[in-house]
Amino acid sequence: MGMPKTLLLCLIALLCAAGATRAADKVRVTIPVFSEVDYAPFYLGTDKGYYAEEGIEVELVGAGGGVATPALISGDVQFSGSPSAAISAILKGAPLKIVYVSRDRPPYQVWSGDPAIKGPEDLIGRQVGVVSRGDTHENGVRLLLLNRHLDPNAVAFTAMGFGTGRVAALNAGALPAASLTVEDLEQLKRTPTMHMVADVWHEVQMLVGGIVVNDRMLTTDRPLARRFLRALLKGVRYMHANEDGTVEAMMTHNPNVSRASTHAIWRLMIPTNTADGTLPAPVQKQMLDLYADILGMAHDKERPVGDAFDFTLLAEVNRSLDDEGWKPRP
């Protein structure tokens, strides 16, 4: 005997209500710096309701790769926005995968106030300021030097930390050269001796930003990883389509940044973003080779590229958004 229709309708209503009120899954995500425009999608996920649409609640944790990678391995965080820093750990056997690449062009330039430093070859035997050892600043300069057939190990890379330390040291004459972001250039005092030594931005293709996860996020926790990546890519698509809205989100979460400079940086940064969130296979291998060299590891002892990069989930998510005809609302 079938269930009475009124009882069936009540049961359906209760199930729907239970689904609607189900607590969101909480995830912790590290990003190395809060004020850079390319991290706007993380804010937009909250501001535009993309996380909520996917049934997740995100806690953003400010942490560089040196802290984020161990936390990712231990499970203290579920996603890290410092994929480059994870490669050394991957080469040593850590069960991590890079699943999304936001940028493959580092928006950095090497500047100096020393008139004797005219080009990359003049960096040999000198100090070059970076944010932290092994970061994208250092790697960008290393790759540029390698492309110029110069030995990157002959440069003394000096960690200066986040903030204005590199610019202040340049202005004070305490540092021969430094790798600077477009934001740093806004603060750089333009004196006759301050000049660009190398344009890493337009000479180097490499892994700059993106998402790295623990392997278990692609197996037992894959549905959660999929929902997070959907929300993030919605934010990415919004960022690409809406300059004003992106700048507004940055101003909301970083009220001390300049609106005018944020607009200018958005226009500079968008061309450095990847078209589909992936990295060409030769560049993937180049990144592994680079970190192997830093670790003193022979290239034939490296883990395969497939042990470090996995873009299958990304392809699934992009396809699902395209099939739905998803478009960002203003």
Side-chain angles (χ1 to χ4, degrees), residues 71-119:
L72 193 62
I73 294 170
S74 69
D76 288 340
V77 301
Q78 287 70 51
F79 304 92
S80 166
S82 300
S84 294
I87 295 180
S88 291
I90 291 171
L91 287 173
K92 294 175 182 177
L96 306 176
K97 290 286 193 305
I98 295 160
V99 297
Y100 167 68
V101 177
S102 58
R103 281 191 287 137
D104 62 356
R105 293 286 176 180
Y108 308 146
Q109 295 175 345
V110 179
W111 279 68
S112 175
D114 185 341
I117 301 178
K118 298 180 175 66

Side-chain angles (χ1 to χ4, degrees), residues 98-102 210-211 213 218 222 225-226 228-230 232-234 236-237 274-279 284 309-322:
I98 295 160
V99 297
Y100 167 68
V101 177
S102 58
I211 292 294
V213 302
L218 298 179
R222 192 178 183 90
R226 188 177 191 274
F228 171 76
L229 206 52
R230 274 179 59 90
L232 182 67
L233 291 183
K234 288 176 182 180
V236 170
R237 293 186 179 198
T274 57
D276 61 359
T278 67
L279 198 66
Q284 296 177 37
F309 296 88
D310 184 344
F311 298 122
T312 56
L313 181 60
L314 175 71
E316 290 175 21
V317 170
N318 272 323
R319 188 164 52 248
S320 70
L321 292 174
D322 290 341

Side-chain angles (χ1 to χ4, degrees), residues 10-22:
C10 288
L11 180 59
I12 292 172
L14 286 171
L15 289 172
C16 290
T21 58
R22 182 172 63 90

Side-chain angles (χ1 to χ4, degrees), residues 25 37 59 65 70 75 84 106 114 129 144 160 175 204 207 214 221 223 236 240 271:
D25 290 312
V37 172
E59 177 189 355
S84 294
D114 185 341
L144 180 135
M160 303 293 291
L175 193 66
V204 172
L207 172 63
N214 194 295
D221 293 330
V236 170
H240 281 234

Side-chain angles (χ1 to χ4, degrees), residues 281-294:
V283 182
Q284 296 177 37
K285 180 62 168 65
Q286 185 183 46
M287 294 305 300
L288 295 184
D289 290 347
L290 173 68
Y291 279 90
D293 289 343
I294 294 171

Side-chain angles (χ1 to χ4, degrees), residues 82-232:
S82 300
S84 294
I87 295 180
S88 291
I90 291 171
L91 287 173
K92 294 175 182 177
L96 306 176
K97 290 286 193 305
I98 295 160
V99 297
Y100 167 68
V101 177
S102 58
R103 281 191 287 137
D104 62 356
R105 293 286 176 180
Y108 308 146
Q109 295 175 345
V110 179
W111 279 68
S112 175
D114 185 341
I117 301 178
K118 298 180 175 66
E121 64 280 359
D122 299 316
L123 298 174
I124 302 301
R126 307 282 192 129
Q127 277 184 298
V128 175
V130 296
V131 173
S132 60
R133 291 304 311 275
D135 68 356
T136 53
H137 285 272
E138 177 176 337
N139 292 338
V141 176
R142 281 182 172 273
L143 288 172
L144 180 135
L145 293 172
L146 287 170
N147 291 345
R148 299 288 190 96
H149 306 290
L150 299 168
D151 181 8
N153 293 320
V155 172
F157 292 99
T158 304
M160 303 293 291
F162 290 106
T164 60
R166 285 160 294 137
V167 173
L170 279 179
N171 281 328
L175 193 66
S179 174
L180 304 179
T181 66
V182 288
E183 291 96 335
D184 294 326
L185 294 176
E186 291 286 326
Q187 306 168 45
L188 188 65
K189 181 168 61 180
R190 300 300 183 89
T191 65
T193 57
M194 285 293 172
H195 58 280
M196 186 176 70
V197 175
D199 187 359
V200 181
W201 187 348
H202 294 98
E203 288 195 43
V204 172
Q205 186 178 24
M206 59 178 278
L207 172 63
V208 180
I211 292 294
V212 59
V213 302
N214 194 295
D215 280 0
R216 64 177 168 269
M217 291 301 298
L218 298 179
T219 53
T220 57
D221 293 330
R222 192 178 183 90
L224 177 59
R226 188 177 191 274
R227 285 186 285 138
F228 171 76
L229 206 52
R230 274 179 59 90
L232 182 67

